């Protein structure tokens, strides 16, 4: 049976990541980068598509797991009739090549363990040649190679490697798996795997100690910050939306997308979360990645980029993978990369403006990049687009898209006023004010007293919850109050918020998906801004309750089946947690900063 999405935990080295199930199986690992081919792809298929399991031979009565304090080192303890054993998993922060270190430690009694290693490169499609080595094995196919080092005797069974061994109380059995390019010699071994785990713990503890957040829910905020750091591609500072692809928004459905890329839409949320939590270096690296990615002609702006700022992310389907719970197709790449989405102009300008307010200094040429984006936006702001949700249906005049175009001009005007930059302020002010009037007329349904998803329409959209957060109107304005009420009526299910009604056909796809975790955080933010503090806390704590046992959140949640859905763990969801916790507890909140412009 396929594991539930929330049954997985994350380990990573700030360049790639793996998902480890409660059954001790690593079912997803892409090497050497987040967006590279997977060598373990059982998450999207069967064990024969690649996995690495360490688990007791005998039936397991109880499984418990936890990260070691404020780290990304995972301990999973299995209880059996003959004893208990703990499997420790981590990826040491990279020096040369990616390593996965697994330690099997006897806790009580004697436990018979079994290792099953099935290596399939290129997302489960390539079976390597495996060769025995004095201290383990090597596996090679095409450009990829893996080297496993362990003192345990290994046995080949078909196209899988297995081992059985006993672990007694106090004993530790190590396993180290290393990826390297197949045309190069295997890297030098980790001489002391136990010490490597200790050093990895120390690295994460030192990083976590820099956190300045001391408010309520600190443990949840810290775990979300660690997750955000784990999703950061260290060499460039880019942050992937998730380390996975094609985990479905509805099991058995086709809303399965590749999230192993960096979305501009995340920029302001990311900058606020990092800067206000004490991680200035990470915020600066993200801002620099952003500026490098968008540099160039304004009409060449994309909504997302690769880890190093790559602009072509062609979407392909992998027909040999049956998908998570038969959710097809499995996709790599993301065809939305070249969509036209107005809101990203506002996100970029808002992010750079917020960076200045929080003390990030400009570098030479930054304002010229912004001026180029504004020049492009002047030419296209009146056009329809695909919107924040990247619909695959016809373009529309989405209200949220126009809102973020308003944000772009508003922030540019404030940059001129506050920081002495030059620009055609009269023209920008005229466009900003025109957008405000237009949104308040064509984007507002007077009969229902609510803003609507697209001009002259009647449907609501959870993205409208951003209107107060960015300072378009006060949260107490009757039109905002009416919009929140309409979203409560039309989009809230058991306390969780849908993005929009998928049955409306707006996105050109079959209906059905989970409630969107980030949108539910936005509802809590709006409650706080409106003075509905009890409601805000209730929604926030409800969201905390649906995290998995190690504090992780996917993109969506289905309140009917009580399951997490979508790619996992999701940066947007954890950014929402961090920023909403601040919105509920601190005066210098992210919503307050954005709302003040």
């Amino acid at each position: 049976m396929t594991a539930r999405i929330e049954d997985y935990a994350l380990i990573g080295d700030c360049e790639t990541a793996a998902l480890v199930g409660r059954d001790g199986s690593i079912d997803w690992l892409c090497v050497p980068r987040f967006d590279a081919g997977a060598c373990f792809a059982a998450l999207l298929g069967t064990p024969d598509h690649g996995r690495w399991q360490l688990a007791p031979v005998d039936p397991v009565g109880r499984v418990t797991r936890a990260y070691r304090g404020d780290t990304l080192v995972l301990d999973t303890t299995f209880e059996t009739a003959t004893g208990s054993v703990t499997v420790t998993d981590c990826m040491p922060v990279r020096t040369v090549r990616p390593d996965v270190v697994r330690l099997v430690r006897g806790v009580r009694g004697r436990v018979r363990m079994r290792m099953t290693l099935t290596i399939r490169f290129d997302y489960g499609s390539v079976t390597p040649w495996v060769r025995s080595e004095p201290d383990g094995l090597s596996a090679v196919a095409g450009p990829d190679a893996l080297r496993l080092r362990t003192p345990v005797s290994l046995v080949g069974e078909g196209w899988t490697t297995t081992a059985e061994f006993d672990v007694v109380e106090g004993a530790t059995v190590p396993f180290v798996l290393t990826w390297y390019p197949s045309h190069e010699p295997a890297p030098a071994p980790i001489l002391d795997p136990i010490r490597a785990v200790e050093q990895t713990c120390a690295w994460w503890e030192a990083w976590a100690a820099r956190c300045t957040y001391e408010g309520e829910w600190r443990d949840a905020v810290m775990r979300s910050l660690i997750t955000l750091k784990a999703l950061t591609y260290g060499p460039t500072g880019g942050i992937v939306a998730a380390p996975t692809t094609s985990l479905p928004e509805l099991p058995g459905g086709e809303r399965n997308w590749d999230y192993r890329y960096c979305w501009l839409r995340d920029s302001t949320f990311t900058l606020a979360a990092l800067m206000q939590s004490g991680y200035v270096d990470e915020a600066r690296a993200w801002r620099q990645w952003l500026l490098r990615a968008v540099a160039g002609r304004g009409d060449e702006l994309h909504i997302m980029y690769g880890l190093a700022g790559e602009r072509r992310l062609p979407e392909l389907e992998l027909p040999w993978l049956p998908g998570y719970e038969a959710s097809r197709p499995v996709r790599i790449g993301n065809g939305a990369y070249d969509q036209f989405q107005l809101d990203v102009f506002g996100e970029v300008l808002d992010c750079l403006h917020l960076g200045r307010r929080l003390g990030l200094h400009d570098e030479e040429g930054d304002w010229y990049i912004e001026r180029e984006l504004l020049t492009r936006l002047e030419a296209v702001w009146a056009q329809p687009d695909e919107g924040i949700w990247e619909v695959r249906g016809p373009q529309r005049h989405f209200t949220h898209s126009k809102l973020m175009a308003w944000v772009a001009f508003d922030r540019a005007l404030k940059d001129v006023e506050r920081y002495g930059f030059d620009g055609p302020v009269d023209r920008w002010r005229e466009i900003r004010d025109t957008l405000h009037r237009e949104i308040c007329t064509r984007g507002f349904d007077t009969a229902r007293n609510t803003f609507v998803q697209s001009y002259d329409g009647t449907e609501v959209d959870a993205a409208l919850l951003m209107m107060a957060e960015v300072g378009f109107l006060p949260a107490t304005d009757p039109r905002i109050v009416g919009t929140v009420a309409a979203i409560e009526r039309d989009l809230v299910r058991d306390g969780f918020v849908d993005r929009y009604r998928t049955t409306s056909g707006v996105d050109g796809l079959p209906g059905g998906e989970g409630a969107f975790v980030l949108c539910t955080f936005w509802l809590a933010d709006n409650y706080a801004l409106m003075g509905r503090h009890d409601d805000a806390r209730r929604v926030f704590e409800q969201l905390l309750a649906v995290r998995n046992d190690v504090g992780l959140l996917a993109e969506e949640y289905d309140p009917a089946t009580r399951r997490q859905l979508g790619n996992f763990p999701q940066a947007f969801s954890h950014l929402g947690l961090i920023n909403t916790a601040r919105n509920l507890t601190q005066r210098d909140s992210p919503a307050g900063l954005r709302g003040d412009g």
Side-chain angles (χ1 to χ4, degrees), residues 28-60:
W28 184 253
L29 173 63
C30 299
V31 280
R33 305 190 340 168
F34 290 107
D35 58 351
C39 61
F40 302 136
L43 179 71
L44 300 178
T46 69
D48 193 52
H49 292 110
R51 70 165 181 167
W52 183 18
Q53 185 176 34
L54 280 167
V57 172
D58 295 332
V60 176

Side-chain angles (χ1 to χ4, degrees), residues 134-374:
D135 57 352
L137 62 79
S138 59
V140 175
D144 298 298
L146 285 172
R147 183 77 161 82
L148 175 67
R149 293 182 170 99
T150 179
V152 173
S153 296
L154 305 174
V155 177
E157 297 182 1
W159 297 98
T160 292
T161 301
T162 66
E164 288 196 7
F165 56 98
D166 290 329
V167 181
V168 299
E169 181 176 339
T172 299
V173 180
F175 296 80
V176 180
L177 187 71
T178 305
W179 177 91
Y180 61 99
S182 61
H183 64 278
E184 295 183 4
I190 292 178
L191 298 177
D192 188 344
I194 296 175
R195 178 165 172 74
V197 171
E198 293 171 349
Q199 291 174 330
T200 304
C201 281
W203 189 93
W204 281 104
E205 287 167 349
W207 186 86
R210 292 164 49 198
C211 178
T212 57
Y213 181 85
E214 296 295 342
E216 194 175 357
W217 308 297
R218 189 183 188 281
D219 288 347
V221 170
M222 191 70 252
R223 178 51 52 193
S224 291
L225 284 165
I226 290 170
T227 303
L228 194 62
K229 178 65 173 177
L231 299 182
T232 302
Y233 184 63
T236 66
I239 300 175
V240 296
T244 57
T245 179
S246 299
L247 288 179
E249 297 169 11
L250 180 70
E254 62 182 70
R255 295 171 180 266
N256 320 314
W257 315 109
D258 193 346
Y259 276 18
R260 298 171 301 156
Y261 306 111
C262 310
W263 266 255
L264 298 187
R265 187 168 294 117
D266 300 11
S267 56
T268 306
F269 299 100
T270 302
L271 192 82
L274 292 172
M275 284 292 292
Q276 293 190 293
S277 299
Y279 293 103
V280 177
D281 291 342
E282 285 78 3
R284 183 178 294 110
W286 166 250
R287 182 179 180 275
Q288 290 171 341
W289 174 89
L290 176 70
L291 287 165
R292 291 194 303 270
V294 304
R297 289 166 48 122
D299 60 0
E300 297 170 351
L301 182 70
H302 288 272
I303 68 162
M304 71 180 85
Y305 295 85
L307 305 176
E310 298 91 344
R311 299 190 174 201
R312 287 191 298 275
L313 310 173
E315 187 174 296
L316 305 173
E317 296 182 4
L318 307 183
W320 62 85
L321 284 174
Y324 178 88
E325 293 192 6
S327 303
R328 287 180 167 172
V330 171
R331 296 178 172 97
I332 59 171
N334 198 308
Y337 77 93
D338 63 352
Q339 282 190 352
F340 173 54
Q341 296 177 20
L342 274 174
D343 67 294
V344 297
F345 289 91
E347 296 293 359
V348 172
L349 270 293
D350 196 27
C351 174
L352 299 177
H353 174 73
L354 181 62
R356 294 184 182 104
R357 292 194 63 188
L358 293 174
L360 285 181
H361 298 297
D362 284 284
E363 297 181 12
E364 186 177 357
D366 291 359
W367 180 246
Y368 294 106
I369 294 174
E370 294 181 60
R371 284 286 304 270
E372 174 62 22
L373 295 179
L374 287 160

Side-chain angles (χ1 to χ4, degrees), residues 94 326 407 513 590:
R94 194 177 308 185
V407 167
E513 65 176 12

Side-chain angles (χ1 to χ4, degrees), residues 55-112:
V57 172
D58 295 332
V60 176
R62 184 167 177 257
V63 179
T64 57
R65 60 182 182 169
Y67 288 112
R68 292 190 185 177
D70 292 338
T71 79
L72 208 64
V73 176
L74 178 72
D75 287 327
T76 304
T77 299
F78 299 95
E79 304 278 352
T80 74
T82 63
S84 62
V85 63
T86 295
V87 177
T88 298
D89 291 309
C90 76
M91 296 185 71
V93 176
R94 194 177 308 185
T95 53
V96 180
R97 300 297 179 197
D99 298 296
V100 178
V101 178
R102 313 192 76 181
L103 305 178
V104 183
R105 178 172 56 87
V107 178
R108 177 180 56 81
R110 177 185 293 269
V111 179
R112 185 72 171 170

